Amino acid sequence: MSYTESIGSRTYRFADLKTLLAKASPQRSGDQLASIAAASEEERVAAKMALAEVPLRTFLNEPLIPYETDEVTRLIIDDHSPAAFAEISHLTVGDFRNWLLSTTTDTDALTRITEGLTPEMVAAVSKLMRNQDLITAARKRPVITRFRNTVGLPGRMSVRLQPNHPTDDVKGIAASMLDGLMYGCGDALIGINPASDNLAAITKLLQMIDDFRQRYQVPTQSCVLTHVTSTIAAMEKGAPVDLVFQSIAGTEKANASFGISLALLQEAYEAGLSLQRGTVGSNLMYFETGQGSALSADAHFGVDQQTCEARAYAVARKFRPFLVNTVVGFIGPEYLYDGKQITRAGLEDHFCGKLLGVPMGCDICYTNHAEADQDDMDNLLTLLGVAGINFIMGVPGADDVMLNYQSTSFHDALYVRDVLGLRRAPEFEEWLESMQIIDARGALIGPSARQPLLEGARDWMGIA
């Protein structure tokens, strides 16, 4: 089905729904690279106007990628709930925007319709929204998950402690981990990106974190972000695996480029459940995504990068994840050129994920060849904090020495907690207070009071 819209004497024609979505997207270097972006701002406005009139039910009848050839499309269609959709089935995309922003649409209403939404519907409505709209609607839709603690409660924001090391040196990683804990970070996860997929090295890192966690009774979870097949192998060898990690994308072909399928993710999910390592819940998958991954694998099929990203959240939702992380600026300026595009993408991803019932966090980051700097990251950090982000990254000095990119630091987490009054996961916060790292208000205590824990951990780890 084609779509048309006139502005003055000029009429714009859009061949199909995926073309309309691409042309309606805010400016994005990745869509320009794929030659699917609007040629002018006027064409972009025309596409938005035409998109606003599209009934939501159209997205169920006009798949962007054929049902017969893509298992992600099959997942989206087969898992769709007509009962949950009924409440909004009469709306157009423009009407849906107005409904989302209405003061009468609350958390209960957004929760009721979750299973009736498809990624294409939420991607479409996001294209009609200003940044403040994305923040307003996402803030109304908390997504709460549990493993050893509880993440996503309103008024709280967690931090993934990311103590990476370029050679997977255990002492170096342990030192960064202790540093982050002393700043009150690590309630979302202590997660290491390994320099290699060597099974012995992965197991050694998992064992180190787990030994520390048990010794100090830390109510958090660990993960080594290796390929899911390596994690399955580690579980088979008896390694202490908490969360099961995998990068995912929004098309079957893009996921195949990662060496995964829905069946493989199901196998990993069931293996993780069988370990029964969670204490307050059983959400155990950890997924990472990012706009541009499908395009970089030549697996986007002419679909714009933001809609492809939203489709990845349907994959995530299938496996009841504990955390989902959009690594928003990591893929580079070829896909998100500058701070403005990174900021917009981060807000879009958080909004789309939350509407789909996914526990969204964000690695607020950029590569050194992007037209962005730490001020841009401060802006996005603040906006996502207001929007109700589940978690952010805590990287020593905000500079990851293994992955060579810029993210957010332990100090950045302190900043956003202070200015927005955000607390940590409740179980983790109680532990920090018992360890004399924070006081009853959640504020850090001076270094002399927390020295006993630091010294004890140093002795145990053998760190000078």
Side-chain angles (χ1 to χ4, degrees):
M1 177 178 175
S2 63
Y3 303 85
T4 62
E5 186 66 45
S6 296
I7 296 180
S9 61
R10 191 187 302 270
T11 298
Y12 291 91
R13 291 179 174 84
F14 309 99
D16 51 27
L17 188 55
K18 69 179 178 183
T19 301
L20 180 64
L21 287 167
K23 301 292 187 182
S25 291
Q27 188 175 29
R28 198 130 310 171
S29 55
D31 291 340
Q32 293 170 322
L33 179 66
S35 300
I36 59 175
S40 66
E41 286 303 315
E42 184 175 278
E43 184 181 27
R44 183 170 288 112
V45 170
K48 290 177 185 288
M49 292 169 64
L51 182 60
E53 299 302 318
V54 174
L56 290 180
R57 65 174 65 91
T58 301
F59 294 94
L60 300 173
N61 301 323
E62 192 177 336
L64 305 186
I65 301 172
Y67 181 95
E68 297 76 14
T69 60
D70 186 89
E71 68 174 2
V72 178
T73 299
R74 293 194 291 275
L75 171 67
I76 291 166
I77 298 300
D78 293 349
D79 281 7
H80 180 259
S81 169
F85 182 58
E87 185 171 347
I88 57 170
S89 62
H90 61 291
L91 300 178
T92 65
V93 176
D95 294 333
F96 185 39
R97 174 190 175 274
N98 295 338
W99 184 85
L100 288 170
L101 297 175
S102 170
T103 55
T104 61
T105 300
D106 58 11
T107 298
D108 289 342
L110 293 177
T111 303
R112 282 197 308 272
I113 67 166
T114 297
E115 300 300 324
L117 295 174
T118 69
E120 292 84 357
M121 291 177 193
V122 299
V125 75
S126 76
K127 298 176 192 300
L128 305 184
M129 301 174 87
R130 293 170 56 185
N131 286 1
Q132 66 175 254
D133 300 336
L134 298 173
I135 292 168
T136 299
R139 188 175 176 85
K140 294 194 284 188
R141 182 56 172 102
V143 179
I144 301 165
T145 56
R146 296 175 174 87
F147 189 76
R148 284 201 193 91
N149 59 30
T150 306
V151 170
L153 292 166
R156 295 179 183 268
M157 184 199 73
S158 297
V159 176
R160 172 191 156 190
L161 205 175
Q162 183 170 301
N164 294 344
H165 192 280
T167 64
D168 289 340
D169 179 77
V170 173
K171 287 186 178 181
I173 289 170
S176 293
M177 180 181 72
L178 290 172
D179 189 29
L181 288 169
M182 292 305 116
Y183 281 101
C185 295
D187 50 343
L189 171 69
I190 299 174
I192 302 165
N193 297 88
S196 77
D197 276 340
N198 179 275
L199 186 57
I202 292 164
T203 302
K204 188 175 183 180
L205 293 174
L206 285 168
Q207 193 64 59
M208 182 272 289
I209 302 174
D210 200 59
D211 289 348
F212 179 87
R213 180 189 64 79
Q214 292 192 58
R215 180 181 179 92
Y216 291 99
Q217 299 181 310
V218 190
T220 191
Q221 34 286 319
S222 64
C223 184
V224 174
L225 281 68
T226 186
H227 193 269
V228 67
T229 53
S230 298
T231 303
I232 292 172
M235 287 190 278
E236 290 172 346
K237 294 288 186 180
V241 173
D242 288 344
L243 302 190
V244 177
F245 167 78
Q246 182 55 48
S247 295
I248 58 173
T251 72
E252 179 178 350
K253 184 179 178 182
N255 282 326
S257 76
F258 291 148
I260 62 167
S261 64
L262 296 180
L264 179 59
L265 293 178
Q266 183 68 35
E267 178 187 349
Y269 175 55
E270 292 174 1
L273 284 175
S274 71
L275 300 181
Q276 298 183 319
R277 290 177 59 83
T279 56
V280 300
S282 59
N283 302 112
L284 57 84
M285 300 299 284
Y286 175 28
F287 295 119
E288 287 193 344
T289 67
Q291 289 194 26
S293 59
L295 174 59
S296 68
D298 191 25
H300 63 296
F301 302 99
V303 178
D304 68 273
Q305 68 181 40
Q306 189 252 331
T307 302
C308 281
E309 170 73 4
R311 284 169 56 95
Y313 305 151
V315 176
R317 180 169 66 175
K318 178 70 174 176
F319 302 101
R320 300 176 57 243
F322 183 67
L323 307 170
V324 176
N325 179 29
T326 171
V327 192
V328 67
F330 183 75
I331 201 166
E334 298 83 2
Y335 305 93
L336 295 171
Y337 179 72
D338 57 14
K340 182 174 182 178
Q341 291 189 16
I342 291 169
T343 296
R344 174 69 189 191
L347 294 175
E348 290 169 346
D349 294 351
H350 179 250
F351 163 83
C352 290
K354 285 292 183 65
L355 254 63
L356 291 167
V358 172
M360 288 303 298
C362 185
D363 191 341
I364 301 162
C365 62
Y366 63 101
T367 57
N368 286 317
H369 62 308
E371 290 294 320
D373 59 28
Q374 214 63 37
D375 285 337
D376 295 308
M377 301 306 102
D378 288 348
N379 294 342
L380 180 54
L381 170 63
T382 306
L383 294 173
L384 286 172
V386 174
I389 193 81
N390 278 33
F391 71 100
I392 62 168
M393 300 296 110
V395 177
D399 182 6
D400 193 298
V401 296
M402 196 280 283
L403 294 173
N404 293 312
Y405 78 116
Q406 309 303 311
S407 184
T408 48
S409 70
F410 308 143
H411 300 81
D412 294 331
L414 292 177
Y415 147 74
V416 76
R417 290 191 199 285
D418 181 51
V419 297
L420 298 178
L422 299 172
R423 305 294 291 255
R424 300 165 180 86
E427 301 90 344
F428 190 77
E429 193 166 75
E430 290 176 11
W431 176 79
L432 289 173
E433 189 174 350
S434 72
M435 292 288 105
Q436 298 182 319
I437 296 173
I438 64 171
D439 61 22
R441 299 173 295 114
L444 288 181
I445 297 174
S448 61
R450 61 181 195 258
Q451 195 70 24
L453 173 64
L454 183 58
E455 286 301 319
R458 279 175 169 168
D459 292 340
W460 180 66
M461 293 290 185
I463 301 171

